[in-house]
Amino acid sequence: MSRPRVGLVSWIFFWGIALLGCAFDLITKQIVFSRLALGEVRPILEDVLELQPSRNKGALWGFGDTLPNSSLIFAALSIIAAISIVYWLFVRGAARDLRLCIALGLVMAGAMGNCFDRLRFGYVRDFMHFHVDAIGLNIAIFNFADNMLVAGAIGLVLLALRPDEVVGVETPAASAAGSGEPAGQTS
């Protein structure tokens, strides 16, 4: 069985998004944490968005932060996810769909940014606090890696909900249509 051919554009989009996104996340964390003390609040949009450096040993919304070695556990899960993404895209050939490369590039960027923090500091550096005081909405403090993870996940959901076929991937129905045989039957 030959390996599926993946084009250079897919490599460039995936790794460009992953590496530039990770770099952007780490640079913004460094800037905010070098200028504001832990817990200090700097309003960006009054009563809506503020910078507020914090440390998160857990996952999204602090989930699992009380687990022993939670940062190492989540770092290991990030590494497993990263290896799986690269394998699926470039060894199994899913990178033939550029939309998938973009969504998973965002996921990879977020995973790498937060994994770096976990391995280097033992926690993730979060600093953006979104809240709408007028309606009592208060979102947990987050960072750009979290934004990229969520945007990538939304992209994956939208791709999964689309009825059209993945570009360059032949399904049994398409294969049968090309051979003149009904789908699901082979000669």
Side-chain angles (χ1 to χ4, degrees):
M1 181 172 122
S2 66
R3 287 180 31 186
R5 187 171 190 134
V6 175
L8 181 61
V9 172
S10 296
W11 279 91
I12 291 170
F13 265 89
F14 175 78
W15 286 112
I17 291 168
L19 295 175
L20 291 174
C22 179
F24 180 76
D25 173 66
L26 294 176
I27 289 167
T28 57
K29 289 174 182 175
Q30 182 60 36
I31 290 169
V32 171
F33 275 75
S34 69
R35 295 184 178 170
L36 296 176
L38 196 62
E40 184 179 345
V41 176
R42 172 105 22 107
I44 302 297
L45 292 171
E46 198 67 40
D47 298 327
V48 176
L49 181 66
E50 60 197 19
L51 299 179
Q52 183 180 351
S54 74
R55 297 175 178 169
N56 179 4
K57 289 190 174 192
L60 191 60
W61 300 303
F63 172 77
D65 64 344
T66 58
L67 290 171
N69 301 311
S70 60
S71 280
L72 289 176
I73 291 168
F74 291 122
L77 291 173
S78 294
I79 292 167
I80 291 167
I83 292 168
S84 300
I85 288 169
V86 171
Y87 176 79
W88 185 47
L89 283 175
F90 300 110
V91 176
R92 299 291 297 173
R96 289 176 285 171
D97 185 345
L98 194 55
R99 300 166 301 175
L100 192 57
C101 289
I102 293 168
L104 288 173
L106 287 167
V107 170
M108 180 69 90
M112 289 189 320
N114 283 344
C115 186
F116 175 87
D117 275 6
R118 292 180 197 289
L119 295 174
R120 171 73 172 85
F121 302 109
Y123 53 84
V124 171
R125 298 173 292 170
D126 289 333
F127 62 90
M128 289 184 287
H129 185 203
F130 178 74
H131 55 97
V132 181
D133 294 345
I135 61 171
L137 177 68
N138 187 16
I139 306 295
I141 300 172
F142 55 94
N143 59 44
F144 283 107
D146 298 334
N147 291 341
M148 288 180 268
L149 283 163
V150 170
I154 290 169
L156 292 173
V157 169
L158 293 174
L159 284 173
L161 294 175
R162 289 183 59 113
D164 61 342
E165 311 223 355
V166 175
V167 176
V169 177
E170 191 170 334
T171 63
S175 177
S179 67
E181 295 181 16
Q185 295 183 0
T186 59
S187 49

